[in-house]
Amino acid sequence: MSKPGKARYKLSQVKASYAEAVGGELVEIETDDGKVFSFPHPLFTDDATNKAIDAAEGDAGKARVLLGDQWDAYAKSGGDANGVMLVFLAVRAEMQDTMGKHRPPRQ
């Protein structure tokens, strides 16, 4: 039990709260043929994936890291690296707005 006036957060509740605030832990991209592909929301991307994104060269490299084994199917559906990166940047910008307004629950 937390002492009065002290901030204590339960990690599972904080994570669930932010997942709800940003629309989930995955970002979905639908191509024009109706196929849906996903990548981890930037807020929930693990360290290894973040390092791989940072190390990747250009939009093509970063998009391949984000989509992983979905890349070939995504490309066959008419998707391109620029599209993935536009969505990625839009989600990051939206996340910044949400983070400034959202307050996680305290215990």
Side-chain angles (χ1 to χ4, degrees):
M1 177 164 247
S2 156
K3 294 180 182 178
K6 291 283 186 179
R8 179 177 289 180
Y9 299 90
K10 188 169 185 178
L11 291 177
S12 61
Q13 291 176 344
V14 170
K15 185 175 179 180
S17 171
Y18 276 108
E20 183 178 336
V22 299
E25 294 184 35
L26 293 175
V27 175
E28 293 184 340
I29 300 174
E30 183 176 346
T31 52
D32 290 340
D33 64 0
K35 293 183 180 168
V36 178
F37 303 90
S38 63
F39 60 85
H41 190 285
L43 187 60
F44 298 102
T45 304
D46 62 54
D47 287 343
T49 303
N50 277 327
K51 287 179 184 177
I53 292 167
D54 289 344
E57 290 193 30
D59 285 353
K62 293 177 186 331
R64 286 175 186 268
V65 170
L66 284 167
L67 290 180
D69 60 3
Q70 302 172 90
W71 173 257
D72 289 337
Y74 171 77
K76 286 178 185 171
S77 289
D80 61 10
N82 184 257
V84 174
M85 296 315 296
L86 286 173
V87 171
F88 184 73
L89 291 173
V91 169
R92 285 179 56 114
E94 188 176 280
M95 177 184 72
Q96 294 300 321
D97 289 342
T98 301
M99 298 292 286
K101 298 172 188 170
H102 183 71
R103 298 292 174 253
R106 286 185 179 191
Q107 267 193 325

